[in-house]
Coordinates of all heavy atoms in Angstrom, one line a residue:
M1 N 13.0 -14.3 -6.7 CA 13.6 -15.6 -6.7 C 13.3 -16.4 -8.0 O 12.1 -16.6 -8.3 CB 13.2 -16.5 -5.6 CG 14.2 -16.7 -4.5 SD 13.6 -17.9 -3.3 CE 13.6 -17.0 -1.8
D2 N 14.3 -16.8 -8.7 CA 14.1 -17.4 -10.0 C 13.2 -18.7 -9.9 O 12.4 -18.9 -10.7 CB 15.4 -17.7 -10.7 CG 16.1 -16.4 -11.2 OD1 15.4 -15.4 -11.1 OD2 17.3 -16.6 -11.5
M3 N 13.5 -19.5 -8.9 CA 12.8 -20.8 -8.7 C 11.3 -20.4 -8.6 O 10.4 -21.1 -9.2 CB 13.3 -21.5 -7.6 CG 12.7 -22.9 -7.4 SD 13.4 -23.6 -5.9 CE 12.4 -22.8 -4.6
I4 N 10.9 -19.5 -7.7 CA 9.5 -19.2 -7.5 C 8.9 -18.5 -8.7 O 7.8 -18.9 -9.1 CB 9.4 -18.2 -6.3 CG1 9.8 -19.0 -5.1 CG2 8.0 -17.7 -6.2 CD1 9.8 -18.3 -3.8
N5 N 9.6 -17.7 -9.4 CA 9.1 -17.1 -10.7 C 8.8 -18.3 -11.7 O 7.8 -18.3 -12.4 CB 10.1 -16.2 -11.3 CG 10.1 -14.8 -10.7 OD1 9.1 -14.5 -10.0 ND2 11.2 -14.1 -10.8
G6 N 9.6 -19.3 -11.7 CA 9.4 -20.4 -12.6 C 8.2 -21.2 -12.2 O 7.4 -21.5 -13.1
Y7 N 7.9 -21.4 -11.0 CA 6.6 -22.0 -10.5 C 5.4 -21.2 -10.8 O 4.5 -21.7 -11.4 CB 6.6 -22.3 -9.0 CG 7.5 -23.4 -8.5 CD1 8.3 -23.2 -7.4 CD2 7.5 -24.6 -9.0 CE1 9.1 -24.3 -6.9 CE2 8.3 -25.6 -8.6 CZ 9.1 -25.4 -7.5 OH 9.9 -26.5 -7.1
L8 N 5.6 -19.9 -10.7 CA 4.4 -19.0 -11.0 C 4.2 -19.0 -12.5 O 3.0 -19.0 -13.0 CB 4.7 -17.6 -10.5 CG 4.5 -17.4 -9.0 CD1 5.0 -16.0 -8.6 CD2 3.2 -17.8 -8.4
E9 N 5.3 -19.0 -13.3 CA 5.0 -19.0 -14.7 C 4.5 -20.3 -15.3 O 3.9 -20.3 -16.3 CB 6.4 -18.7 -15.4 CG 6.8 -17.1 -15.4 CD 8.3 -16.9 -15.7 OE1 8.9 -17.8 -16.3 OE2 8.7 -15.8 -15.4
A10 N 4.6 -21.3 -14.5 CA 4.1 -22.6 -14.9 C 2.6 -22.8 -14.6 O 1.9 -23.6 -15.1 CB 4.8 -23.7 -14.2
L11 N 2.0 -21.8 -13.8 CA 0.7 -21.8 -13.6 C -0.1 -21.3 -14.7 O 0.3 -20.5 -15.5 CB 0.3 -20.8 -12.4 CG 0.7 -21.2 -11.0 CD1 0.5 -20.1 -10.0 CD2 0.1 -22.5 -10.5
P12 N -1.3 -21.9 -15.0 CA -2.2 -21.3 -16.0 C -2.4 -19.8 -15.7 O -2.6 -19.4 -14.6 CB -3.5 -22.1 -15.9 CG -3.1 -23.3 -15.1 CD -2.0 -22.9 -14.3
E13 N -2.5 -19.1 -16.8 CA -2.6 -17.6 -16.7 C -3.8 -17.2 -15.7 O -3.6 -16.3 -14.9 CB -3.0 -17.0 -18.1 CG -3.3 -15.6 -18.1 CD -2.0 -14.7 -18.3 OE1 -1.2 -15.1 -19.0 OE2 -1.9 -13.6 -17.8
E14 N -4.9 -17.9 -15.8 CA -6.0 -17.5 -14.9 C -5.8 -17.8 -13.4 O -6.5 -17.3 -12.5 CB -7.3 -18.2 -15.4 CG -7.4 -19.7 -15.3 CD -6.7 -20.4 -16.5 OE1 -6.1 -19.8 -17.3 OE2 -7.0 -21.7 -16.6
E15 N -4.8 -18.6 -13.1 CA -4.5 -18.9 -11.7 C -3.4 -17.9 -11.1 O -3.1 -17.9 -10.0 CB -3.9 -20.3 -11.6 CG -5.1 -21.4 -11.8 CD -4.7 -22.8 -11.6 OE1 -3.7 -23.0 -10.8 OE2 -5.3 -23.7 -12.3
R16 N -2.8 -17.1 -12.0 CA -1.9 -16.2 -11.5 C -2.4 -14.8 -11.2 O -3.4 -14.3 -11.7 CB -0.8 -15.9 -12.7 CG 0.3 -16.9 -12.7 CD 1.3 -16.5 -13.8 NE 1.1 -17.5 -14.9 CZ 1.4 -17.2 -16.2 NH1 1.9 -16.0 -16.5 NH2 1.3 -18.1 -17.0
T17 N -1.9 -14.3 -10.0 CA -2.4 -13.0 -9.6 C -1.9 -11.9 -10.5 O -0.8 -11.8 -10.8 CB -1.8 -12.7 -8.1 OG1 -2.1 -13.8 -7.3 CG2 -2.5 -11.5 -7.5
P18 N -2.9 -11.0 -10.9 CA -2.5 -9.9 -11.8 C -1.5 -9.0 -11.1 O -1.5 -8.9 -9.8 CB -3.8 -9.2 -12.0 CG -4.9 -10.1 -11.7 CD -4.3 -11.0 -10.7
D19 N -0.6 -8.5 -11.8 CA 0.6 -7.8 -11.3 C 0.3 -6.7 -10.2 O 0.9 -6.8 -9.1 CB 1.4 -7.0 -12.4 CG 2.7 -7.8 -12.6 OD1 2.8 -8.8 -12.1 OD2 3.5 -7.2 -13.4
P20 N -0.7 -5.8 -10.4 CA -1.0 -4.7 -9.4 C -1.4 -5.4 -8.0 O -0.9 -5.0 -7.0 CB -2.0 -3.9 -10.0 CG -2.0 -4.1 -11.4 CD -1.5 -5.5 -11.6
L21 N -2.2 -6.4 -8.1 CA -2.7 -7.1 -6.9 C -1.6 -7.9 -6.2 O -1.5 -7.9 -5.0 CB -3.9 -8.0 -7.3 CG -4.5 -8.7 -6.1 CD1 -4.9 -7.8 -5.1 CD2 -5.6 -9.7 -6.6
Y22 N -0.7 -8.5 -7.1 CA 0.5 -9.2 -6.5 C 1.4 -8.2 -5.8 O 1.7 -8.6 -4.6 CB 1.2 -9.8 -7.7 CG 2.4 -10.7 -7.4 CD1 2.2 -11.7 -6.4 CD2 3.6 -10.6 -8.0 CE1 3.3 -12.5 -6.0 CE2 4.7 -11.4 -7.8 CZ 4.5 -12.4 -6.8 OH 5.6 -13.3 -6.5
R23 N 1.6 -7.1 -6.3 CA 2.4 -6.1 -5.7 C 1.7 -5.6 -4.3 O 2.4 -5.5 -3.3 CB 2.6 -4.9 -6.6 CG 3.7 -3.9 -6.3 CD 5.0 -4.5 -6.3 NE 5.5 -4.7 -4.9 CZ 6.5 -5.4 -4.5 NH1 7.2 -6.0 -5.3 NH2 6.9 -5.4 -3.2
E24 N 0.4 -5.4 -4.3 CA -0.2 -5.0 -3.2 C 0.0 -6.1 -2.0 O 0.1 -5.8 -0.9 CB -1.8 -4.9 -3.4 CG -2.1 -3.5 -3.9 CD -3.6 -3.5 -4.2 OE1 -4.4 -4.1 -3.5 OE2 -4.0 -2.9 -5.4
R25 N -0.3 -7.3 -2.4 CA -0.2 -8.4 -1.4 C 1.2 -8.4 -0.9 O 1.4 -8.6 0.4 CB -0.4 -9.8 -2.1 CG -1.9 -9.9 -2.5 CD -2.2 -11.2 -3.2 NE -3.5 -11.5 -3.4 CZ -4.0 -12.7 -3.8 NH1 -3.2 -13.6 -4.3 NH2 -5.3 -12.9 -3.9
L26 N 2.3 -8.4 -1.7 CA 3.6 -8.4 -1.2 C 3.9 -7.2 -0.4 O 4.8 -7.4 0.7 CB 4.6 -8.5 -2.4 CG 4.5 -9.8 -3.2 CD1 5.5 -9.8 -4.3 CD2 4.8 -11.1 -2.3
D27 N 3.4 -6.1 -0.7 CA 3.6 -4.9 0.2 C 3.1 -5.1 1.6 O 3.8 -4.8 2.6 CB 2.9 -3.6 -0.4 CG 3.6 -3.1 -1.6 OD1 4.8 -3.5 -1.8 OD2 3.1 -2.2 -2.3
V28 N 2.0 -5.8 1.7 CA 1.4 -6.1 3.0 C 2.4 -7.2 3.8 O 2.7 -7.0 4.9 CB 0.0 -6.8 3.0 CG1 -0.4 -7.2 4.3 CG2 -0.9 -5.7 2.4
C29 N 2.8 -8.2 3.1 CA 3.7 -9.1 3.6 C 5.1 -8.5 4.2 O 5.6 -8.8 5.2 CB 4.0 -10.3 2.7 SG 2.7 -11.3 2.3
E30 N 5.5 -7.6 3.3 CA 6.8 -6.9 3.7 C 6.7 -6.1 5.0 O 7.8 -6.0 5.6 CB 7.3 -6.1 2.5 CG 7.9 -6.9 1.4 CD 8.1 -6.1 0.1 OE1 8.0 -4.9 0.1 OE2 8.3 -6.8 -0.9
T31 N 5.6 -5.7 5.4 CA 5.5 -4.9 6.6 C 5.0 -5.8 7.7 O 4.7 -5.3 8.8 CB 4.6 -3.7 6.4 OG1 3.3 -4.1 6.0 CG2 5.2 -2.7 5.4
C32 N 4.7 -7.1 7.5 CA 4.1 -8.0 8.4 C 5.2 -8.6 9.4 O 6.3 -9.1 8.9 CB 3.3 -9.1 7.7 SG 2.6 -10.3 8.9
S33 N 4.8 -8.6 10.7 CA 5.9 -9.1 11.6 C 6.0 -10.6 11.5 O 7.0 -11.2 12.0 CB 5.4 -8.8 13.1 OG 4.1 -9.3 13.3
R34 N 5.1 -11.3 10.8 CA 5.2 -12.7 10.7 C 6.1 -13.2 9.5 O 6.3 -14.4 9.3 CB 3.8 -13.3 10.5 CG 3.0 -13.1 11.7 CD 1.5 -13.4 11.5 NE 0.7 -13.1 12.6 CZ -0.1 -12.0 12.7 NH1 -0.2 -11.2 11.7 NH2 -0.8 -11.7 13.8
L35 N 6.6 -12.2 8.7 CA 7.4 -12.6 7.6 C 8.8 -12.8 8.1 O 9.4 -12.0 8.7 CB 7.4 -11.4 6.5 CG 8.3 -11.7 5.2 CD1 7.6 -12.9 4.4 CD2 8.4 -10.5 4.4
Q36 N 9.3 -14.0 7.8 CA 10.7 -14.4 8.2 C 11.5 -15.0 7.1 O 11.1 -16.2 6.6 CB 10.5 -15.4 9.4 CG 10.0 -14.7 10.6 CD 9.7 -15.7 11.8 OE1 10.1 -16.9 11.7 NE2 9.2 -15.2 12.8
N37 N 12.5 -14.3 6.6 CA 13.3 -14.7 5.5 C 12.5 -15.2 4.3 O 12.7 -16.2 3.6 CB 14.2 -15.9 5.9 CG 15.1 -15.5 7.0 OD1 15.6 -14.4 7.0 ND2 15.3 -16.3 8.0
G38 N 11.4 -14.4 4.0 CA 10.6 -14.8 2.8 C 9.6 -15.8 3.1 O 8.7 -16.0 2.2
L39 N 9.5 -16.3 4.3 CA 8.5 -17.3 4.6 C 7.5 -16.7 5.5 O 7.8 -15.9 6.4 CB 9.1 -18.5 5.2 CG 10.0 -19.4 4.5 CD1 10.7 -20.4 5.4 CD2 9.2 -20.2 3.4
C40 N 6.2 -17.0 5.4 CA 5.2 -16.7 6.3 C 5.3 -17.7 7.5 O 5.1 -18.8 7.3 CB 3.8 -16.7 5.6 SG 2.5 -16.4 6.8
A41 N 5.5 -17.1 8.7 CA 5.6 -18.0 9.9 C 4.3 -18.6 10.3 O 4.3 -19.6 11.0 CB 6.1 -17.1 11.0
V42 N 3.2 -18.2 9.7 CA 1.9 -18.7 10.1 C 1.6 -19.9 9.2 O 1.3 -21.0 9.7 CB 0.7 -17.6 9.9 CG1 -0.6 -18.3 10.3 CG2 1.0 -16.5 10.7
C43 N 1.7 -19.8 7.8 CA 1.4 -20.9 7.0 C 2.6 -21.7 6.5 O 2.5 -22.8 6.0 CB 0.5 -20.4 5.8 SG 1.5 -19.3 4.7
G44 N 3.8 -21.0 6.6 CA 5.0 -21.7 6.2 C 5.3 -21.7 4.7 O 6.3 -22.3 4.2
C45 N 4.6 -20.8 4.0 CA 4.8 -20.7 2.6 C 5.7 -19.6 2.2 O 5.9 -18.7 3.0 CB 3.5 -20.3 1.8 SG 2.2 -21.6 1.8
F46 N 6.4 -19.7 1.1 CA 7.1 -18.6 0.5 C 6.0 -17.6 0.1 O 5.2 -17.9 -0.8 CB 7.9 -18.9 -0.7 CG 9.2 -19.7 -0.3 CD1 9.3 -21.0 -0.5 CD2 10.3 -18.9 0.2 CE1 10.5 -21.7 -0.2 CE2 11.5 -19.5 0.5 CZ 11.6 -20.9 0.3
V47 N 6.0 -16.3 0.6 CA 5.0 -15.5 0.3 C 5.0 -15.0 -1.2 O 3.9 -14.8 -1.7 CB 5.0 -14.2 1.2 CG1 4.7 -14.6 2.6 CG2 6.3 -13.4 1.1
L48 N 6.2 -15.1 -1.8 CA 6.3 -14.7 -3.2 C 5.4 -15.7 -4.1 O 4.9 -15.3 -5.1 CB 7.7 -14.8 -3.7 CG 8.6 -13.6 -3.3 CD1 10.0 -13.9 -3.8 CD2 8.2 -12.3 -3.9
Y49 N 5.4 -16.9 -3.6 CA 4.5 -17.9 -4.3 C 3.1 -17.8 -3.9 O 2.1 -17.8 -4.7 CB 5.1 -19.3 -4.1 CG 4.3 -20.4 -4.8 CD1 4.4 -20.4 -6.3 CD2 3.4 -21.2 -4.2 CE1 3.7 -21.4 -7.0 CE2 2.7 -22.2 -5.0 CZ 2.8 -22.2 -6.4 OH 2.0 -23.1 -7.1
R50 N 2.9 -17.8 -2.6 CA 1.5 -17.8 -2.1 C 0.7 -16.6 -2.7 O -0.4 -16.7 -3.2 CB 1.5 -17.8 -0.6 CG 0.0 -17.9 0.0 CD 0.1 -17.9 1.5 NE -1.2 -18.1 2.1 CZ -1.6 -19.3 2.4 NH1 -0.9 -20.4 2.2 NH2 -2.8 -19.5 2.8
A51 N 1.3 -15.4 -2.6 CA 0.6 -14.2 -3.1 C 0.4 -14.3 -4.7 O -0.5 -13.6 -5.2 CB 1.5 -13.0 -2.8
G52 N 1.3 -15.0 -5.4 CA 1.2 -15.1 -6.8 C 0.1 -16.0 -7.3 O -0.2 -16.0 -8.5
K53 N -0.5 -16.8 -6.5 CA -1.7 -17.6 -6.9 C -2.9 -16.8 -6.5 O -3.2 -16.6 -5.4 CB -1.7 -19.0 -6.2 CG -0.7 -19.9 -6.7 CD -0.8 -21.2 -6.0 CE -2.0 -22.0 -6.6 NZ -2.2 -23.4 -5.9
T54 N -3.8 -16.5 -7.6 CA -4.8 -15.6 -7.3 C -5.9 -16.1 -6.3 O -6.4 -15.3 -5.5 CB -5.5 -15.3 -8.7 OG1 -6.4 -14.1 -8.5 CG2 -6.3 -16.4 -9.2
S55 N -6.0 -17.4 -6.2 CA -6.9 -17.9 -5.2 C -6.5 -18.0 -3.7 O -7.2 -18.3 -2.8 CB -7.4 -19.4 -5.6 OG -6.3 -20.2 -5.6
S56 N -5.2 -17.7 -3.5 CA -4.6 -17.8 -2.2 C -5.1 -16.7 -1.3 O -5.5 -15.6 -1.9 CB -3.1 -17.7 -2.3 OG -2.5 -18.8 -2.9
E57 N -5.1 -16.8 0.0 CA -5.4 -15.8 0.9 C -4.3 -15.8 2.0 O -3.7 -16.8 2.3 CB -6.8 -16.1 1.6 CG -7.9 -16.1 0.6 CD -9.2 -16.5 1.3 OE1 -9.2 -17.0 2.4 OE2 -10.2 -16.2 0.7
C58 N -4.2 -14.6 2.6 CA -3.3 -14.5 3.8 C -4.0 -15.2 4.9 O -5.2 -15.1 5.2 CB -3.2 -13.0 4.2 SG -2.5 -12.8 5.8
P59 N -3.2 -16.1 5.6 CA -3.9 -16.9 6.7 C -4.4 -16.1 7.9 O -5.2 -16.5 8.6 CB -2.8 -17.9 7.2 CG -1.5 -17.2 6.8 CD -1.9 -16.5 5.5
C60 N -4.0 -14.9 7.9 CA -4.4 -13.9 8.9 C -5.4 -12.9 8.4 O -5.8 -11.9 9.1 CB -3.2 -13.2 9.5 SG -2.1 -14.3 10.4
G61 N -5.9 -13.1 7.2 CA -6.9 -12.2 6.6 C -6.4 -10.8 6.2 O -7.2 -9.9 6.2
L62 N -5.0 -10.7 6.1 CA -4.5 -9.3 5.8 C -4.6 -8.9 4.3 O -4.6 -7.8 3.9 CB -3.1 -9.2 6.3 CG -2.9 -9.4 7.9 CD1 -1.5 -9.4 8.2 CD2 -3.7 -8.2 8.5
W63 N -4.8 -10.0 3.4 CA -5.0 -9.7 2.0 C -5.8 -10.9 1.5 O -5.9 -11.9 2.2 CB -3.8 -9.5 1.1 CG -2.6 -10.4 1.3 CD1 -1.4 -10.2 2.0 CD2 -2.4 -11.7 0.7 NE1 -0.6 -11.2 2.0 CE2 -1.2 -12.2 1.1 CE3 -3.2 -12.5 -0.1 CZ2 -0.7 -13.4 0.7 CZ3 -2.7 -13.7 -0.6 CH2 -1.5 -14.2 -0.1
Ligands
SF4_1 S1 0.7 -14.1 4.3 FE1 -0.3 -12.8 5.8 S2 0.5 -13.5 7.9 FE2 1.8 -14.3 6.2 S3 3.5 -12.8 6.0 FE3 2.0 -12.2 4.5 S4 0.6 -10.8 5.5 FE4 1.8 -11.8 7.1

């Protein structure tokens, strides 16, 4: 999503999740039953954004 990419690109480099880890996080979300239309049903965040911030955590401890 372009809008989310824009938000991530606006973050300072050190706050952005490095690419391989970002991919790993999204892979977990993609197989998670709580993912609904790109949103995490537990925290209500767009997972593309949440996973892209290096300090973020999955609310269920999956990443
Ligand atoms: S953030 Fe965690 S609970 Fe939410 S969709 Fe991703 S893996 Fe599932």
Side-chain angles (χ1 to χ4, degrees):
M1 253 192 240
D2 287 349
M3 186 182 77
I4 292 178
N5 282 338
Y7 285 134
L8 289 174
E9 282 165 15
L11 290 173
E13 176 88 37
E14 65 274 15
E15 290 183 25
R16 273 183 252 154
T17 310
D19 253 9
L21 181 57
Y22 185 45
R23 195 61 254 166
E24 273 177 39
R25 289 177 170 184
L26 293 179
D27 284 348
V28 175
C29 290
E30 281 167 14
T31 59
C32 180
S33 62
R34 298 170 183 101
L35 184 65
Q36 293 174 2
N37 298 320
L39 292 170
C40 172
V42 181
C43 65
C45 289
F46 281 105
V47 296
L48 287 174
Y49 183 70
R50 188 177 184 91
K53 283 185 77 179
T54 194
S55 60
S56 295
E57 294 178 344
C58 163
C60 294
L62 299 175
W63 50 259

